[in-house]
């Protein structure tokens, strides 16, 4: 019997230095793409994948995230008295959406350290990790794609994407062997090894780990055991490498388009493409873009 994934951990305690000064007093996860904060895209993806129990790892200056998912009585009252029914429904949907708990990472000691902070809330069961600065747009939510593989193999699965050689050194990179799954042989891999932020000349492949994971609770023991790695931080990649010693990990080259919204260019691309897709904005925005002297 394969345990169901019920919980998703959202590490959101990073400093967001690539987005300064916007992130000096405001969490990166609350930056809006069109009109929704980054983290809400991730939370909606978790829900659409069948995971309702959300654990957010926060740090100093992140209270806007808690307020966002909480009930706002004043705002709801104001919208009610002004008969703004649509907006009221939008605002209520956010607080009704999920069962959310928070845990604190006091110091930004790395992604692996942030995940380890969720150990008590996760308990002894498999769980998902979503990095909300990776926004993934696809017909099937990316996390759902990973869960399908997890449910078949009963093993941890990470999301993979091919990236150009000149940017490979920004990622965790895998050495992996393609395996056939459901008659196809081009998306699923069994991971042999992985390395965090390798030099382009030393990268084992062009397959990078993107911010979606389905993990099993052994990863907590591994994260406890690993020493700080690249950048002096406890890296999730190093924890996973440790897990590999005792059980297989799979990688899935997901279907969909990923935007690195933690980076300025990626954020702008997501903003333009999501705005163009909106029923209420797309047409006017397209007309505006066409008239720009590019
Ligand atoms: P990033 O590598 O994007 O780091 O973290 P960052 O600090 O958020 O941003 P930059 O690079 O300084 O601009 C990836 C994810 O891991 C979380 C971040 O919040 C983000 O969701 N994280 C990172 C933590 O929760 N704690 C950490 O110590 C580091």
């Amino acid at each position: 019997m394969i345990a169901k994934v019920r919980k998703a951990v959202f590490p959101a305690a990073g400093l967001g230095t690539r987005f300064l000064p916007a992130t000096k007093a405001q969490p990166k996860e609350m930056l809006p793409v069109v009109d929704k904060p980054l983290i809400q895209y991730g939370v909606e993806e978790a829900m659409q994948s069948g995971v309702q129990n959300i654990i957010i790892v926060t740090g100093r200056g992140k209270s806007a995230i808690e307020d966002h998912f909480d009930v706002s009585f004043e705002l709801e009252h104001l919208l009610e008295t002004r008969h703004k029914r649509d907006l009221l429904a939008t605002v209520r949907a956010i607080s009704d959406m999920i069962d959310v708990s928070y845990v604190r990472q006091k110091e930004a000691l790395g992604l692996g350290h942030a995940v380890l902070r969720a150990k008590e809330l996760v308990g002894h069961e498999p769980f998902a990790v979503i990095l909300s600065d990776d926004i993934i747009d696809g017909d099937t939510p990316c996390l759902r794609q990973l869960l399908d593989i997890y449910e078949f193999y009963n093993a941890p699965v990470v999301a993979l994407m091919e990236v150009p050689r000149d940017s490979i050194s920004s990622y965790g990179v895998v050495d992996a062997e393609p395996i056939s799954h459901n008659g196809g042989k081009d998306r699923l891999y069994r991971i042999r090894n992985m390395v965090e932020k390798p030099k382009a000349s030393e990268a084992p492949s062009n397959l990078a780990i993107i911010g979606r994971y389905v993990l099993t609770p052994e990863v907590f023991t591994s994260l406890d055991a690993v020493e700080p790695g690249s950048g002096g931080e406890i890296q999730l990649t190093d924890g996973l490498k440790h897990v590999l010693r005792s059980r297989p990990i799979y990688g899935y080259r997901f279907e969909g388009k990923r935007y690195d919204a933690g980076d300025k260019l990626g954020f702008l691309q997501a903003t333009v493409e999501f705005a163009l897709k909106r029923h209420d904005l797309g047409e006017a925005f397209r007309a505006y873009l066409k008239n720009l002297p590019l």
Side-chain angles (χ1 to χ4, degrees):
M1 180 63 184
I2 297 175
K4 192 172 160 18
V5 173
R6 304 184 303 145
K7 300 176 181 176
V9 174
F10 284 72
L15 300 175
T17 51
R18 282 171 294 162
F19 244 109
L20 282 168
T23 46
K24 187 177 171 209
Q26 183 197 205
K28 170 173 73 172
E29 296 74 15
M30 288 303 293
L31 294 175
V33 166
V34 187
D35 54 7
K36 240 180 348 190
L38 293 183
I39 193 161
Q40 194 176 332
Y41 286 90
V43 167
E44 288 177 3
E45 183 185 320
M47 287 179 59
Q48 285 155 8
S49 304
V51 179
Q52 245 103 8
N53 202 316
I54 304 295
I55 297 165
I56 303 181
V57 184
T58 65
R60 234 163 45 82
K62 300 277 183 170
S63 55
I65 299 177
E66 295 175 30
D67 292 342
H68 182 70
F69 290 112
D70 203 355
V71 179
S72 172
F73 291 110
E74 303 88 329
L75 180 62
E76 290 190 15
H77 180 69
L78 185 99
L79 294 172
E80 224 165 344
T81 49
R82 294 194 181 165
H83 305 292
K84 305 262 188 201
R85 284 179 200 286
D86 288 354
L87 283 177
L88 183 62
T90 307
V91 165
R92 280 211 177 124
I94 300 167
S95 49
D96 286 350
M97 197 159 30
I98 46 163
D99 175 12
V100 56
S101 15
Y102 297 92
V103 64
R104 203 109 169 140
Q105 184 192 25
K106 286 187 191 145
E107 247 185 294
L109 297 176
L111 175 58
H113 183 263
V115 170
L116 189 54
R117 298 293 301 127
K119 181 178 172 180
E120 299 303 320
L121 288 173
V122 168
H124 202 75
E125 56 181 279
F127 63 104
V129 174
I130 292 188
L131 305 189
S132 54
D133 28 353
D134 281 329
I135 300 188
I136 301 176
D137 191 23
D139 292 339
T140 305
C142 180
L143 180 60
R144 187 61 254 166
Q145 298 176 41
L146 300 194
L147 288 168
D148 288 344
I149 301 295
Y150 161 78
E151 284 166 11
F152 194 87
Y153 291 93
N154 194 17
V157 191
V158 303
L160 296 178
M161 187 178 111
E162 286 176 338
V163 301
R165 281 274 159 191
D166 59 0
S167 53
I168 199 87
S169 58
S170 311
Y171 295 89
V173 182
V174 298
D175 171 12
E177 165 195 3
I179 55 174
S180 59
H181 175 72
N182 272 347
K185 204 181 188 231
D186 63 339
R187 294 206 172 267
L188 186 64
Y189 296 81
R190 184 163 165 171
I191 294 177
R192 284 189 284 246
N193 197 5
M194 48 180 93
V195 44
E196 183 64 25
K197 300 193 173 62
K199 286 188 194 141
S201 58
E202 286 164 17
S205 73
N206 64 344
L207 284 171
I209 304 175
I210 300 302
R212 302 290 183 276
Y213 309 75
V214 177
L215 302 176
T216 47
E218 306 85 319
V219 74
F220 294 124
T221 318
S222 292
L223 286 169
D224 261 330
V226 298
E227 298 288 329
S230 169
E233 297 185 336
I234 304 222
Q235 297 292 349
L236 182 56
T237 308
D238 293 337
L240 294 176
K241 214 168 131 172
H242 191 273
V243 171
L244 264 181
R245 294 186 199 169
S246 56
R247 68 179 299 172
I249 299 181
Y250 292 88
Y252 191 68
R253 204 165 51 73
F254 60 91
E255 286 178 71
K257 183 160 184 186
R258 172 255 186 180
Y259 302 87
D260 179 4
D263 167 78
K264 283 171 204 169
L265 185 59
F267 181 86
L268 289 170
Q269 288 163 345
T271 303
V272 169
E273 292 189 39
F274 278 76
L276 285 171
K277 277 199 206 177
R278 283 274 293 254
H279 297 301
D280 55 343
L281 288 169
E283 207 178 314
F285 189 49
R286 183 168 285 104
Y288 162 74
L289 290 177
K290 276 190 174 158
N291 274 322
L292 287 178
L294 295 174

